[in-house]
Amino acid sequence: MSTTETPIENVVIVGSGPAGYTAALYTARADLRPLVVEGYLWGGLLQQTTEVENYPGFPGGGIEGPALMTKMRAQAEEFGARYITDEATELKLSDEPGGVHEVHVGDEVHYARTVILAMGAQHKKLGVPGEDELGGRGVSYCATCDAAFFKDKPTVIVGGGDSAMEEAIFLAKFSSKVVVVHRRDEFRASAIMVDRAREVANLEFLTPYEPIAFEGDPQLQTVRLRNTADGSERTLDINGAFIAIGHVPQSHIAADQVEIDGDGYVVTQGKSTRTRRPGVFAAGDLVDHTYRQAITAAGSGCQAALDAEWYLRDTPSIPLAQKTAESSV
Ligand code: NAP
């Protein structure tokens, strides 16, 4: 196919959490026929969640995370969104207003006038021995997913933020005892969350400690801890360890293309979803340090869709052939 015949998409969306699917819904309704590179495990972190009770519109107990994502995906598809259930492997983003961007999926290249980055975030790992080996065999990153496997068994939560408190309170409904292990004596979590956790009878705090190894074969049996103040070590007998130490934005494929902050989040301009590349927008947990909610991700996906729509309306396009000749992206 010659470059002049190469189809150029209006919008390619990379990622498929609430931000990606909401961007798909809005751009589909604007007749832009978005192409969504949704990954193999589409749906983002909500696929690992059970009840979602704080997404508006689902009274009477909320909705299961995977069901919510299936609905979002289907709703965008009804209006013409198209999906590639594969991973984006490379981005080549133009620097020119009206330029053509490339989204690579293995050997396939998709050309686009606008790109919406919505790759989300993943659970941060401790990086200690046994963590990977015992993943799914006692070590978990999602109490809401896995707490029920530890009914009447002792567990630990690692972390001192709001996520750790929330997970600990939930986990305590199942476990015989939950120990919150945190590396400092002060908590990053809001006072109200720490107070709530302190009120739970079968929940204890152990500070300032950090895990140095998870052990057991074939299932997790112990966690080795080091006191971060005096270096002393101790071991706890446990069946489950839940790690809630924050998230890592999945910005690696865009890292050399758009501005990324010290924590790996994509930087957007002002209140918009614009990145420093014309026609490239970013939304959801990829951008958001603070709120990280399904509803806020969906809201920013909507903003990115509108920003992309306005950009397409207002920016004269550079033909692909001209772009190929003139640009070195
Ligand atoms: P976070 O606030 O960044 O807290 C991460 C915690 O993990 C911190 O206590 C941190 O310790 C600890 N940590 C990080 N790396 C570690 C390591 N390598 N080893 C040991 N500990 C480590 O993350 P989050 O709790 O996921 O919360 C993220 C955002 O979502 C926050 O803005 C939070 O308020 C919000 N959120 C709100 C709610 C709610 O209000 N219901 C629920 C969940 C999340 P240090 O403190 O020592 O750095």
Side-chain angles (χ1 to χ4, degrees):
M1 193 180 277
S2 74
T3 47
T4 49
E5 294 167 339
T6 303
I8 303 177
E9 305 288 348
N10 295 308
V11 190
V12 172
I13 297 164
V14 185
S16 60
Y21 286 142
T22 304
L25 172 64
Y26 271 75
T27 50
R29 288 193 76 247
D31 267 346
L32 295 173
R33 289 193 31 83
L35 182 66
V36 185
V37 182
E38 61 178 358
Y40 288 118
L41 299 173
W42 56 264
L45 285 176
L46 275 180
Q47 289 285 28
Q48 301 170 28
T49 312
T50 51
E51 296 91 11
V52 179
E53 293 177 335
N54 54 7
Y55 198 88
F58 299 96
I63 182 170
E64 299 279 307
L68 179 61
M69 297 321 298
T70 303
K71 281 178 184 289
M72 285 193 196
R73 185 179 190 274
Q75 192 175 357
E77 194 170 30
E78 278 176 9
F79 289 98
R82 294 160 298 143
Y83 298 114
I84 296 177
T85 309
D86 203 342
E87 306 292 332
T89 48
E90 190 181 3
L91 302 174
K92 290 187 179 177
L93 304 175
S94 173
D95 252 340
E96 298 168 276
V100 178
H101 310 288
E102 296 180 14
V103 177
H104 294 233
V105 180
D107 294 338
E108 279 175 29
V109 182
H110 300 276
Y111 296 94
R113 294 282 171 213
T114 64
V115 174
I116 295 175
L117 304 173
M119 289 89 78
Q122 278 299 335
H123 300 291
K124 187 172 160 189
K125 293 190 169 188
L126 286 163
V128 301
E131 182 180 9
D132 284 342
E133 295 81 348
L134 289 164
R137 292 192 284 128
V139 174
S140 169
Y141 299 84
C142 179
T144 40
C145 315
D146 297 334
F149 297 126
F150 300 94
K151 192 153 174 43
D152 301 327
K153 301 210 165 117
T155 55
V156 294
I157 292 266
V158 183
D162 282 328
S163 297
M165 299 305 133
E166 199 170 68
E167 299 256 292
I169 293 164
F170 183 79
L171 188 59
K173 294 176 186 162
F174 298 85
S175 294
S176 53
K177 183 170 93 170
V178 177
V179 180
V180 177
V181 174
H182 179 41
R183 63 186 177 183
R184 294 187 295 135
D185 289 328
E186 296 77 37
F187 292 96
R188 191 176 292 269
S190 53
I192 188 168
M193 293 295 283
V194 178
D195 288 348
R196 271 188 209 163
R198 287 197 196 284
E199 282 169 13
V200 177
N202 59 336
L203 196 157
E204 292 175 10
F205 290 90
L206 185 58
T207 66
Y209 278 92
E210 62 185 1
I212 51 173
F214 295 101
E215 295 164 334
D217 185 13
Q219 295 288 325
L220 176 66
Q221 287 172 323
T222 57
V223 57
R224 276 205 288 132
L225 303 171
R226 180 170 46 217
N227 185 307
T228 59
D230 63 19
S232 62
E233 292 186 14
R234 61 185 288 180
T235 300
L236 295 184
D237 292 333
I238 45 151
N239 294 103
F242 289 83
I243 298 161
I245 60 168
H247 290 81
V248 186
Q250 298 296 290
S251 56
H252 46 277
I253 61 165
D256 56 344
Q257 312 266 319
V258 295
E259 191 183 344
I260 305 280
D261 74 10
D263 295 321
Y265 291 86
V266 172
V267 176
T268 50
Q269 296 173 5
K271 287 186 177 174
S272 79
T273 63
R274 290 193 301 271
T275 69
R276 72 174 175 81
R277 299 268 179 175
V280 179
F281 308 90
D285 285 2
L286 187 66
V287 174
D288 178 9
H289 289 247
T290 312
Y291 300 105
R292 291 186 31 257
Q293 302 299 304
I295 186 66
T296 51
S300 76
C302 161
Q303 288 175 289
L306 294 174
D307 283 340
E309 194 183 334
W310 296 330
Y311 172 88
L312 288 166
R313 181 192 64 195
D314 297 338
T315 315
S317 303
I318 299 173
L320 181 59
Q322 188 185 340
K323 168 255 165 198
T324 306
E326 289 180 359
S327 160
S328 59
V329 289

